[in-house]
Amino acid sequence: MSDSNGISRERLEQALAHSTFAQLLGAELLDFAPGRVSLQVRSRPDLCQHHGYMHGAVVGFMVDSGCAWAAASLVGDVVTSEYKLNLLAPALGERLLCRAEVLKAGQRQAVCRADVFALKDGQEKLVATGLATIARV
């Protein structure tokens, strides 16, 4: 179920299953609550850049999608208006984990933040943070 305007976890999982780009990356929804989501992408050689780190485009996808999905859980159908990504450390690990949350949701847009962590040998390391403006469709 969802609140009066937001989408449900089931609808988000259906949308994720139909997103060919998310499927290409192997994105998985982990946690879902109104205004908050967590997702992961497992590391693979084809998702890494020449130094062996997960590519910044994968990290950007996670911030963009995490923020959009968190906003959608509150306000329904959305698109990303803009996002800012700060890469803080090399994204090196078995998988990347993104935790996104809505900071403020208004009538037309939501402002969200997301942190991306690399998980290696059971340890989390913050590798990126981002802010996004998500527009209601």
Side-chain angles (χ1 to χ4, degrees):
M1 296 294 297
S2 64
D3 69 0
S4 60
N5 296 318
I7 66 168
S8 65
R9 180 182 183 126
E10 180 179 277
R11 276 196 53 213
L12 180 54
E13 286 175 337
Q14 290 170 353
L16 182 58
H18 289 93
S19 169
T20 55
F21 189 68
Q23 292 303 307
L24 176 72
L25 297 179
E28 302 172 65
L29 179 65
L30 299 177
D31 296 314
F32 178 91
R36 293 178 177 264
V37 300
S38 296
L39 64 138
Q40 75 174 1
V41 172
R42 295 179 191 281
S43 182
R44 307 187 316 247
D46 60 323
L47 299 180
C48 294
Q49 48 89 297
H50 62 284
H51 293 295
Y53 310 138
M54 291 279 280
H55 198 283
V58 177
V59 177
F61 161 83
M62 296 182 81
V63 168
D64 178 13
S65 295
C67 288
W69 298 349
S73 74
L74 292 178
V75 302
D77 198 14
V78 298
V79 294
T80 301
S81 176
E82 63 85 29
Y83 72 94
K84 179 191 186 318
L85 175 65
N86 285 77
L87 300 169
L88 305 173
L92 184 61
E94 295 92 32
R95 62 187 172 115
L96 296 182
L97 170 66
C98 177
R99 294 186 184 107
E101 68 179 327
V102 174
L103 298 175
K104 175 135 173 78
Q107 291 289 340
R108 295 187 180 148
Q109 67 184 20
V111 175
C112 307
R113 78 167 159 224
D115 291 320
V116 179
F117 301 87
L119 280 79
K120 184 175 180 183
D121 300 325
Q123 299 292 315
E124 288 186 7
K125 180 178 182 180
L126 181 65
V127 297
T129 191
L131 290 174
T133 303
I134 309 297
R136 180 182 274 177
V137 174

